[in-house]
Amino acid sequence: MKAIFKREVKSYFTGMIGWVVAAVSLFFLGLYYTNRNLLYASSDFASVLYTMTMILLFLLPAISMRSFAEERKNRTDQLLLTSPVSIPAIVAGKFLAEVAVFALPLAAAVLMPLILKAFGTVSLVAAYSAVLGYLLLGSACLAVGTWISALTENQILAYLATFGALLVAYIMDGIQTMFTTGNLLAFIAFMVVVLIASILVGVICKRLTAGVTVFCVGAVVLFILFRLRPAWLLTAFNAVLSALALFDPFQDIVGGMFSIPAIVYYLSVIGLFLFLTGQRWNAAVGIEEGNAMKKLNVKLPQGGSKRALHSGMYASALAVVVLAVIILVNLVIRALPTKYTEYDISTTSLFTLSDTTENLLHELNADVTAYYLAESGQEDANITRLLDRYAGESSHFSWQQRDPVLYPTFAQQYDGASAGSVVLVCGDNSDVLSYNDMYEMDLESYYTTGTANYSFQAENALTSGIARSPARRPTSCTS
């Protein structure tokens, strides 16, 4: 692997790709740093890296496009396949070389917060957490690009396909809102996914019947779910779309919350696509061996088609198992209490509960449930994080999301409830907190500058709602 790594890094900087990527990265990094931090005297370095994510859509495909596509085009893949280096080592060496090329310009990003620190107050924890998140985001995108590069021998096609995949992931939040208006769209989208999966199984197994079987079974299951539990189908599809939103976890880190689930998510994406790259390279070995035997007019042994079928079924089953394990690990991590998996790194301690709130939650002697009314994919991350903090502080407090599309009559049960509201329920008593209660507008700034600035005041609203006197609005459940 070490030899592959050195060879790849050298090839990047022997040509133009490595230098161009470094120059473009440093140019935009310096531009945004100067504009946001120096000219406007902002201490928020994380926002610089967040702005750089758009540039990654163009840079990262240029790094990953040549990794395997060039090998196949130049027919040097045979040298790799016959070398004493294992396929996992080949994939790892190439991937680490890509990460090294991407990370090299980040050396400047490591120094930038220190420069700001010399002239003011800067949260180095927040800044370097953003650098780590940026590095993991870029590595995950490179893993996707490496897999796409292994599928073709055309570098331009690999670049365009990777750019398209990353662009879809970048705008996934907007795409997700398209599938909250009905269950039929989710059903159609899942049918397309099943069709693609069945085609892949048929190609891998080299059997039409295998692909048709997978499609028929998947179609029947989806139809049953659509008829009996359509809400499950929409919820599952929204969960899939959320998992495809590759840039969202980094946005959470930039927003001031260091999240262990976000780190695990990016590592999972990297591991999954490197595994798929290895599987594709394994399949390429079999294809090349078969083509070589045909060119030499070597008669294939009897039962070769059965072995190909078994090999394809094994590869498909292994991919399903790996995917299931990755999903299970992420679900387990996300199920842990947020006080153990998420850490407030915001400069204003935005998600750290005050002593008053903690004492109030500890004094609860009855169950309080908060219902957050928001469509799937349109949740306010600040509100959901804060609700997680409340739930982690007391066993008597819990919260659930109610999607107005899935539960159209739920808001009608409570006066004043609408999208964005939080409804606090304790027994037969309820209290509705509107979205405007969560964010407070700075009127002085609005009248002096004409720009409306909002501050996050959800903790005050939630704590006041829980502690409100029963004589005024009966929601108090404290001892």
Side-chain angles (χ1 to χ4, degrees), residues 74-272:
N74 297 333
R75 298 295 185 264
T76 54
D77 54 338
Q78 295 301 309
L79 296 176
L80 285 176
L81 295 175
T82 55
S83 67
V85 184
S86 64
I87 290 179
I90 294 174
V91 174
K94 285 179 169 291
F95 173 72
L96 291 177
E98 295 172 14
V99 173
V101 174
F102 164 66
L104 186 61
L106 281 181
V110 173
L111 298 176
M112 288 176 176
L114 297 178
I115 297 174
L116 295 177
K117 184 72 172 179
F119 298 97
T121 302
V122 177
S123 174
L124 295 181
V125 174
Y128 289 119
S129 295
V131 172
L132 175 61
Y134 184 77
L135 179 61
L136 289 174
L137 169 63
S139 300
C141 294
L142 287 174
V144 175
T146 301
W147 174 66
I148 293 177
S149 178
L151 300 177
T152 178
E153 62 180 32
N154 189 317
Q155 294 188 49
I156 302 301
L157 182 60
Y159 180 93
L160 295 176
T162 303
F163 174 79
L166 296 184
L167 179 62
V168 170
Y170 188 80
I171 62 175
M172 185 54 67
D173 283 342
I175 295 176
Q176 190 171 355
T177 60
M178 297 169 56
F179 295 94
T180 58
T181 57
N183 302 310
L184 181 60
L185 285 175
F187 174 75
I188 295 173
F190 263 129
M191 285 295 295
V192 173
V193 173
V194 170
L195 176 61
I196 295 174
S198 62
I199 293 174
L200 291 176
V201 170
V203 171
I204 294 174
C205 298
K206 299 180 181 179
R207 285 291 184 90
L208 178 62
T209 53
V212 172
T213 301
V214 170
F215 179 76
C216 292
V217 172
V220 170
V221 172
L222 287 178
F223 182 76
I224 293 174
L225 285 176
F226 178 70
R227 299 297 299 177
L228 300 180
R229 292 289 187 271
W232 289 8
L233 199 64
L234 182 58
T235 301
F237 189 66
N238 283 327
V240 172
L241 292 181
S242 297
L244 296 178
L246 196 60
F247 292 79
D248 280 4
F250 177 64
Q251 184 177 356
D252 293 340
I253 296 176
V254 171
M257 183 65 72
F258 184 82
S259 173
I260 299 299
I263 304 300
V264 173
Y265 169 78
Y266 282 132
L267 294 177
S268 299
V269 172
I270 293 171
L272 174 63

Side-chain angles (χ1 to χ4, degrees), residues 278-471:
Q279 289 290 93
R280 176 65 184 89
W281 207 240
N282 271 319
V285 173
I287 294 173
E288 293 294 340
E289 289 178 350
N291 292 337
M293 295 180 71
K294 288 181 180 179
K295 288 180 180 180
L296 296 174
N297 294 322
V298 177
K299 186 178 181 181
L300 295 175
Q302 294 183 353
S305 59
K306 289 185 177 180
R307 278 193 291 272
L309 175 62
H310 293 161
S311 177
M313 292 178 63
Y314 172 77
S316 301
L318 184 60
V320 171
V321 170
V322 170
L323 181 61
V325 170
I326 289 176
I327 293 175
L328 180 61
V329 169
N330 280 268
L331 290 177
V332 170
I333 294 296
R334 292 182 180 278
L336 296 176
T338 55
K339 63 180 179 180
Y340 301 120
T341 60
E342 294 184 348
Y343 304 94
D344 187 0
I345 57 175
S346 60
T347 55
T348 58
S349 299
L350 195 63
F351 309 107
T352 300
L353 300 182
S354 65
D355 293 338
T356 301
T357 298
E358 291 182 354
N359 293 334
L360 178 67
L361 292 172
H362 293 162
E363 293 172 359
L364 290 177
N365 59 10
D367 291 338
V368 178
T369 303
Y371 295 97
Y372 179 36
L373 308 184
E375 292 186 17
S376 299
Q378 296 184 352
E379 307 91 341
D380 188 308
N382 291 336
I383 295 178
T384 57
R385 289 194 201 106
L386 192 62
L387 290 172
D388 283 337
R389 291 286 180 174
Y390 273 70
E393 200 64 38
S394 173
S395 59
H396 285 297
F397 185 93
S398 61
W399 75 278
Q400 301 175 22
Q401 182 176 341
R402 283 291 183 263
D403 190 330
V405 175
L406 300 180
Y407 304 93
T409 62
F410 182 83
Q412 300 173 8
Q413 304 175 46
Y414 307 98
D415 293 337
S418 60
S421 300
V422 174
V423 182
L424 297 175
V425 177
C426 178
D428 295 331
N429 303 313
S430 63
D431 191 8
V432 177
L433 307 176
S434 70
Y435 187 80
N436 292 332
D437 294 327
M438 307 293 173
Y439 288 90
E440 183 178 302
M441 185 174 71
D442 185 354
L443 294 177
E444 182 179 354
S445 174
Y446 176 75
Y447 287 120
T448 56
T449 66
T451 302
N453 294 324
Y454 293 87
S455 59
F456 188 59
Q457 300 294 331
E459 182 183 354
N460 293 337
L462 288 170
T463 300
S464 299
I466 295 173
R468 195 159 288 138
S469 170

